[in-house]
Amino acid sequence: MKAAPKKDLYRKLPSVDELLHQPEVAALVESEGRANVTEAARQVLETLRQEIASGSLDASAVELAVGGLASAVERRVRQSLAPSLCPVINATGVILHTNLGRAPLAEAALERIREVAGVYSNLEFDIASGERGKRDVHVERLTARLLNQEGLTGIATVVVNNNAAAVLLSLNTLAEGGEVIVSRGELVEIGGSFRIPDVMAKSGAVLREVGTTNRTRLADYEKAINERTRLLLRVHRSNFQIVGFTEQPPLEDLVALARKHKLRILEDLGSGAMIELRSVGVSGEPSVWDSLRAGVDVVTYSGDKLLGGPQAGLISGQSETVARIRANPLFRALRVDKLTYAALEATLLAYARQDHNAIPAVRMMRLSAQEIGRRAQALADILLAKAPRLEVEMVGGASVIGGGAAPGAALPTILLALTCQDLSADELAARLRAHQPPIVARVEQGKVLLDLRTVFPEQDAIIAAAVLHAACQ
Ligand SMILES: *Cc1c(COP(=O)(O)O)cnc(C)c1O
C-alpha cells in the first residue's frame, strides 16, 4: 500500500482556532484561561506536525491522534499549570538534605504560617501604642529567653535571609575596609556557592589568612594583627574534618587575644544547635551557647540546619554590636518576611517549652536504631509477602545529619536493602522517583537502600505500595 503524501496528512489537522472551538477545549478556555489553552493547543499541534514530518505516522495514526486532540490539550494545560515545587519522601537518611529542602517544619510552625500569613498581622506594629513597631521583637524575646536559661544575658538576636547573609552582613558591618584574620584551615566552601574568601571580598573586608591547612597557632593570629585589623573570624568546619597532625587554638584563647588587642571576634557556626547534641550521640558540634559562653562577640547560624526551623540566618551577640549590625542599610535588603517570623517563632517556642520532639529534624536525630528497625521489619514483611521478585535485607548502617553539619557524626540505623530480579538498582531507584509522591533513596553496591529515619511514619505505607508497584511492573 502506498503511504499517503505528507501534505494530505497535514490537511487532517485542525487549525489552532478550530481546535479551540471544540466543545471540550472551549470549556477548558473558560476554566483555565485563553492564553494557557492556546499555548497548549499550539504545542500539541506542533508535536503532531513534527511526527508527521518524521514519517512516523500513517493516515490512520493521524486520525487517531486528531480524535484525541482535546484530551491531549487538556493534559498539557494541567501539566503546565501544576506546581513545580512538590513534596518528596526522603528515604536517604540524610536529615538536613539541602537538595530536599533541609529541615521539614514543625506542625506548629505550619499552623502559625496559616494563621498569620493569610491575614494582616502585627509584623511591624505595636498594638499597645498603635504605633510602628519592629519585626525583630517576634524572635528577639524567645532567643533572649533561651539564652538566658543558659545563663547568658545581654544577648541580642536579629534575623536575615540565611546564614550566608548573616556572615556577609556581619563582616560588612564590623570589618568593611579593614582586615579580618582567618585560619587557612577554616577557608571553607559550603554547598557550592558559599566560600569564605568570596563572601569576605563582597563584604568589603580584606581576608588575612594565617597558619596552614592543618595547623594554626594562636601566635599566627597574633603576628598578623596590625593597625588595619578589625576582626578575628572563626569558621566552623561544618562539612569536613581535618584529622591527623592538626592544631587549632581553643576558642577561649582566641577570645582572650581579641580582648587584649581590643578587637571583636565573630564565629560563623553554620548550624545553630539549641539542644545538647551529645545526648543524641553527636559530638564536636558546638551549640550557640557554647560559642557565646566562650566570649565570642557575635555568632551566626542557620535557621534550617540543626535548629530545625525555616531558612533564615540568625545573628546573636553582644547587644551593642548586634545593634550596629541591625543599623546597616544592607539589613533592609537581607531581612525576612512574616512567613519566616511565624515559622521561626513557633520553632523557638517549641524549644522554650522543651518540646523537642515537636521539631521533625530533632525528632529524627533522636530516633534509635531499634525504633527504625521495627518499622523496617514491618515494611520488609509486607514486601516479602507480596513481591516474589524482590529481595529484601535488613542491614546496619548510618544516617547522617547533612546540610553541612556534624560531618563526623553517624547515627546508627537499620537500612532496608532492596534488589529486584531483572531490574538494576538504578532502574528501581528511578521508578521510586517516578512515583507520586517521588521517593528518593540511596543506591550503593547494586542495592537500593531505604533509611526510614528521615521518613515520616505515615509515609511507610506509601513506600511499601510504591516499591511493590515498582518491582511488579
Ligand atoms: C551552612 C553554612 C553556611 C551557609 O548557611 P546557609 O544558611 O546555607 O546560608 C555558612 N557557614 C557555615 C560554617 C555553614 O555551615
Side-chain angles (χ1 to χ4, degrees):
M1 196 184 81
K2 199 169 158 289
K6 281 184 185 159
K7 69 175 187 336
D8 291 349
L9 295 180
Y10 288 127
R11 250 187 238 127
K12 290 182 191 290
L13 303 185
S15 69
V16 172
D17 215 44
E18 282 161 355
L19 185 51
L20 290 177
H21 280 93
Q22 287 187 13
E24 299 99 312
V25 183
L28 208 55
V29 169
E30 279 298 305
S31 62
E32 310 298 329
R34 178 165 298 273
N36 295 321
V37 182
T38 308
E39 186 185 282
R42 276 213 185 91
Q43 288 169 345
V44 166
L45 286 171
E46 182 52 33
T47 310
L48 209 50
R49 257 185 230 108
Q50 279 167 9
E51 280 170 5
I52 293 173
S54 71
S56 58
L57 300 180
D58 62 11
S60 60
V62 171
E63 266 156 37
L64 203 65
V66 167
L69 276 176
S71 47
V73 171
E74 172 160 10
R75 263 198 313 279
R76 199 170 275 252
V77 169
R78 302 253 176 265
Q79 255 172 22
S80 72
L81 295 179
S84 140
L85 184 61
C86 62
V88 307
I89 293 178
N90 174 10
T92 64
V94 180
I95 298 174
L96 302 166
H97 199 305
T98 297
N99 304 143
L100 303 182
R102 284 201 189 153
L105 292 181
E107 220 29 77
L110 299 174
E111 271 165 38
R112 290 307 293 157
I113 291 177
R114 262 209 81 73
E115 271 172 24
V116 162
V119 293
Y120 296 105
S121 64
N122 64 337
L123 180 65
E124 284 191 353
F125 184 73
D126 185 305
I127 293 174
S129 69
E131 284 172 14
R132 184 174 177 181
K134 281 200 155 180
R135 59 181 65 206
D136 311 56
V137 297
H138 307 295
V139 158
E140 172 74 59
R141 91 191 154 104
L142 288 170
T143 44
R145 177 185 175 138
L146 289 167
L147 293 166
N148 229 320
Q149 285 168 0
E150 295 295 320
L152 291 154
T153 53
I155 304 290
T157 300
V158 291
V159 186
V160 288
N161 185 48
N162 52 21
N163 186 37
V167 175
L168 175 72
L169 182 65
S170 303
L171 287 176
N172 177 262
T173 309
L174 303 176
E176 189 180 20
E179 289 182 6
V180 179
I181 305 179
V182 194
S183 159
R184 288 197 171 90
E186 298 171 14
L187 295 176
V188 308
E189 169 175 316
I190 314 275
S193 50
F194 179 91
R195 292 176 145 199
I196 287 290
D198 298 344
V199 175
M200 187 79 73
K202 286 291 177 195
S203 78
V206 176
L207 172 68
R208 184 72 196 262
E209 4 178 325
V210 296
T212 61
T213 308
N214 56 329
R215 307 196 86 189
T216 303
R217 301 181 186 82
L218 198 63
D220 296 322
Y221 287 89
E222 187 145 33
K223 262 186 285 176
I225 294 176
N226 63 56
E227 67 286 354
R228 294 180 302 278
T229 309
R230 304 284 282 279
L231 191 68
L232 303 188
L233 173 64
R234 166 86 108 184
V235 184
H236 182 53
R237 292 175 188 145
S238 40
N239 57 357
F240 70 107
Q241 285 176 304
I242 295 182
V243 294
F245 188 53
T246 66
E247 186 172 338
Q248 188 185 35
L251 193 54
E252 286 77 3
D253 293 2
L254 221 48
V255 168
L257 182 68
R259 296 274 179 278
K260 181 172 146 198
H261 293 272
K262 300 199 163 38
L263 294 169
R264 286 202 175 77
I265 173 163
L266 168 69
E267 182 168 33
D268 173 16
L269 261 184
S271 257
M274 288 217 187
I275 56 163
E276 195 42 78
L277 281 170
R278 278 171 286 269
S279 69
V280 292
V282 177
S283 59
E285 189 70 27
S287 66
V288 176
W289 39 78
D290 286 335
S291 178
L292 289 170
R293 242 187 240 127
V296 167
D297 295 286
V298 176
V299 293
T300 67
Y301 48 104
S302 298
D304 57 353
K305 288 191 185 169
L306 289 173
L307 198 64
Q311 178 189 303
L314 285 85
I315 304 173
S316 294
Q318 296 309 318
S319 33
E320 155 257 338
T321 311
V322 171
R324 272 184 60 202
I325 293 173
R326 174 66 173 84
N328 186 329
L330 258 185
F331 178 84
R332 180 63 177 74
L334 303 174
R335 71 179 191 184
V336 295
D337 76 335
K338 55 182 180 280
L339 276 70
T340 305
Y341 277 105
L344 194 53
E345 188 179 27
T347 307
L348 293 169
L349 270 170
Y351 281 101
R353 290 207 199 92
Q354 305 261 311
D355 187 8
H356 297 136
N357 281 341
I359 301 162
V362 177
R363 186 170 69 230
M364 288 170 181
M365 258 184 278
R366 295 171 131 203
L367 280 179
S368 68
Q370 287 87 332
E371 282 168 85
I372 297 166
R374 269 197 296 279
R375 283 168 54 198
Q377 183 67 61
L379 191 54
D381 291 345
I382 297 174
L383 298 178
L384 286 169
K386 297 199 183 159
R389 289 168 61 206
L390 203 62
E391 205 175 294
V392 183
E393 297 160 88
M394 305 234 301
V395 293
S399 321
V400 296
I401 306 260
L411 308 171
T413 192
I414 303 291
L415 302 165
L416 279 176
L418 310 179
T419 34
C420 186
Q421 275 170 32
D422 323 317
L423 209 58
S424 73
D426 285 331
E427 175 59 23
L428 180 57
R431 287 187 185 181
L432 293 177
R433 286 197 309 278
H435 183 265
Q436 280 311 321
I439 296 163
V440 185
R442 276 192 267 165
V443 173
E444 265 170 41
Q445 296 174 343
K447 294 180 179 174
V448 170
L449 302 180
L450 303 174
D451 185 344
L452 297 183
R453 182 185 293 280
T454 48
V455 173
F456 290 82
E458 60 273 22
Q459 296 173 332
D460 290 1
I462 303 176
I463 294 190
V467 172
L468 288 176
H469 184 69
C472 302
Q473 255 171 25

